[in-house]
Amino acid sequence: MPNAPRLRASALTATAVALSALLAGCSDGPGGGSSDDTDLTTQRLGWKDCPAPSEAEGGGAAPSPLPDGDEWQCATMKAPLDWDEPDGETIGLALIRAEADGGADRRIGSLVFNFGGPGGSGVTTLPAFGQDYAELRTRYDLVSFDPRGVGRSAPVECLDDKQLDTYFQQDATPDDAAERTALLDSTERFNAACERRSKKVLPHVATTDTARDMDLMRQVLGDDELYYFGLSYGTELGGVYAHLFPKHVGRAVFDAVVDPTKTPAQGSLAQAEGFQLALDNFAEDCTSKAEECPIGADARDVEDRIARLLGELDQEPIPGLFPRELTQTAATGGIAQALYSKDLWEYLTDGLQQAYDGDGRVLMVLSDALNGRNENGRYSNIAAANVAINCADENPRYDPAYVERELPDFRKASPLFGEYLAWSMLGCTDWPVAGAAEHPDVSAPGAPPILVIGNTGDPATPYEGAGRMVEALGKGVGVELTYRGQGHGAYDSGNACVQNAVHGYLLDGKVPPADTVCS
């Protein structure tokens, strides 16, 4: 995908619903303002029934009631726009919660979720997956939020919907000088639009800013310690929080762990390897079943046919969702989206089978989910926020000459995804705000034990990152748990061993033995 430093997952439940429907038939957010002399830590949140999500959050209907009939509640928390000027202008951060249902005598506090991206809306994602965390709700208020720059929280805005349709159709793996120039020009237009429409907020969307927001949130929610569940990029955010506020960490779970030791280039290369591994596992799974795999005779044949399809789409796209066509870039993104969850593998099989027959609709639905496009043609701001946050965090700025030097290593890591991820490193080229560092600092001496969960088959955050997070957090802080499974993350896989370990830790304070393995 052009201009995206890292692949990212959208809400997989929404993806599955959209695909099921297809197969059956085939920004305004909380405003800012000047703060008064009131201490922001003493502000009172005005919880009320949640409105329908904004377009920047992805649109759609207001969240349905919880299974017990309780309503989700939403509020807006004020935070400084610039944490270096805490008494200056404020922005509103959108929050959502489901109150604990196990009784006041058993309630521990608020469990704050970040579902990753960066750029994902917690206000829309938590209700989509809320039932998955029902056990945790027995002792915690479940809380999530739109981080600054995301959804209703001072959202970063760049291109409009029509421009994004064109942007995501372009060739993201240039084969010659003309295509390379077109990609660079497109990146420049995207970044210039972000500066033009969001200049005030761009310097203040770094992960360190959001970590400070979370500590303010902890205080406003009335907790002495932060209880936290971070997934994907949320693990990086949690690590940064632990570094800044080690004494304020309560019980924290990091699932689908970002490697905090890698530069952006190293992270992109690791993702190429991770998605290739997931593709290998998908192909092996399809061809090892008793029934015939409809997309290949064996795993090698499956991958060879996919490679041929992408090569053909590079020359001539096929019909997708009218009036858009399925391009090589859209197909690659759709395949990547399906590899985030084993639950989507059946849709990937169907989508490939149909694409071989000239029908690109299923792969395009998957691609749209990756890019934050809904069925009405409206985009959330996940793409804009993803770029803005990554570019605020990461100081390397890569040029085409660097990418071309690295292409052999990326192709070796993944014949299918290597070039796609290599060229995506240009996303922060000419970004108007300097990045903070090569990689985040997550060292947290003095913090209590943090449960760090790695999935051996994770495509987006390869398994090795969990061990490196444990080392970077410091001795006695990170406690690693390994899940031998597939997909992005472990807890939401439903694996009883993983969930029992998380429940024992979060609900009862029982830290599992280091190097526990679940399968």
Side-chain angles (χ1 to χ4, degrees), residues 28-40:
D28 291 328
S34 297
S35 70
D36 53 27
D37 294 331
T38 303
D39 181 356
L40 291 177

Side-chain angles (χ1 to χ4, degrees), residues 295-297 300-316 328 356 416:
I295 55 171
R300 178 63 180 271
D301 185 41
V302 169
E303 296 189 29
D304 286 346
R305 291 187 68 188
I306 293 173
R308 286 197 298 274
L309 171 68
L310 295 178
E312 292 166 359
L313 291 174
D314 191 27
Q315 301 300 316
E316 186 174 356
Q328 179 193 45
Y356 296 145
L416 190 70

Side-chain angles (χ1 to χ4, degrees), residues 222-516:
D223 289 334
D224 294 331
E225 299 172 319
L226 178 72
Y227 304 101
Y228 181 73
F229 200 135
L231 299 99
S232 194
Y233 160 80
T235 66
E236 180 178 324
L237 173 59
V240 170
Y241 179 90
H243 171 70
L244 294 175
F245 306 103
K247 301 300 184 182
H248 295 169
V249 176
R251 301 170 191 172
V253 173
F254 296 174
D255 186 6
V257 184
V258 172
D259 186 337
T261 69
K262 291 187 179 297
T263 65
Q266 292 168 339
S268 293
L269 183 62
Q271 273 205 334
E273 295 169 347
F275 275 95
Q276 186 62 45
L277 174 62
L279 181 68
D280 295 344
N281 292 337
F282 159 76
E284 185 64 36
D285 178 77
C286 185
T287 57
S288 65
K289 295 176 180 177
E291 66 270 21
E292 181 180 356
C293 176
I295 55 171
D298 54 39
R300 178 63 180 271
D301 185 41
V302 169
E303 296 189 29
D304 286 346
R305 291 187 68 188
I306 293 173
R308 286 197 298 274
L309 171 68
L310 295 178
E312 292 166 359
L313 291 174
D314 191 27
Q315 301 300 316
E316 186 174 356
I318 61 175
L321 295 174
F322 184 81
R324 295 176 300 147
E325 294 181 314
L326 183 74
T327 63
Q328 179 193 45
T329 298
T332 304
I335 294 167
Q337 172 71 1
L339 294 176
Y340 273 100
S341 171
K342 194 172 182 179
D343 292 342
L344 296 181
W345 285 8
E346 62 177 299
Y347 298 113
L348 178 55
T349 300
D350 290 340
L352 289 168
Q353 190 175 11
Q354 292 183 21
Y356 296 145
D357 291 332
D359 182 350
R361 288 178 295 169
V362 172
L363 289 183
M364 181 155 274
V365 170
L366 286 162
S367 177
D368 284 349
L370 185 75
N371 297 328
R373 188 185 196 271
N374 66 25
E375 65 275 13
N376 297 321
R378 304 299 301 272
Y379 285 86
S380 73
N381 87 313
I382 189 171
N386 180 267
V387 175
I389 295 166
N390 280 330
C391 295
D393 283 346
E394 302 165 349
N395 64 20
R397 299 294 187 250
Y398 303 111
D399 60 22
Y402 178 88
V403 172
E404 293 194 350
R405 288 196 301 271
E406 298 300 311
L407 277 173
D409 287 342
F410 275 79
R411 293 187 184 113
K412 182 179 179 181
S414 175
L416 190 70
F417 297 105
E419 290 193 22
Y420 180 87
L421 285 160
W423 286 106
S424 75
M425 291 191 293
L426 297 179
C428 294
T429 301
D430 297 324
W431 188 252
V433 176
E438 281 198 336
H439 55 78
D441 190 344
V442 299
S443 60
I450 294 172
L451 182 57
V452 179
I453 308 173
N455 181 349
T456 59
D458 198 312
T461 51
Y463 169 68
E464 294 76 15
R468 295 196 180 103
M469 175 66 81
V470 168
E471 293 176 4
L473 287 169
K475 187 176 181 179
V477 179
V479 178
E480 185 172 7
L481 183 151
T482 295
Y483 170 54
R484 299 192 183 281
Q486 302 297 329
H488 190 42
Y491 183 89
D492 286 338
S493 72
N495 180 269
C497 173
V498 172
Q499 293 191 342
N500 287 339
V502 171
H503 295 164
Y505 169 65
L506 286 178
L507 298 176
D508 300 314
K510 297 177 181 177
V511 181
D515 300 320
T516 295

Side-chain angles (χ1 to χ4, degrees), residues 35 38-43 77-93 145 147-149 200-220 237 240-241 244-245 248:
S35 70
T38 303
D39 181 356
L40 291 177
T41 64
T42 65
Q43 65 183 291
M77 183 187 80
K78 288 184 178 181
L81 171 64
D82 183 350
W83 272 103
D84 289 335
E85 298 182 6
D87 296 327
E89 183 177 352
T90 62
I91 56 174
L93 303 181
F145 65 108
R148 54 176 59 218
K200 184 170 69 173
V201 72
L202 292 184
H204 308 296
V205 295
T207 297
T208 49
D209 295 311
T210 299
R212 291 183 170 90
D213 293 339
M214 287 205 306
D215 199 57
L216 175 61
M217 192 182 307
R218 170 190 66 79
Q219 296 171 77
V220 172
L237 173 59
V240 170
Y241 179 90
L244 294 175
F245 306 103
H248 295 169

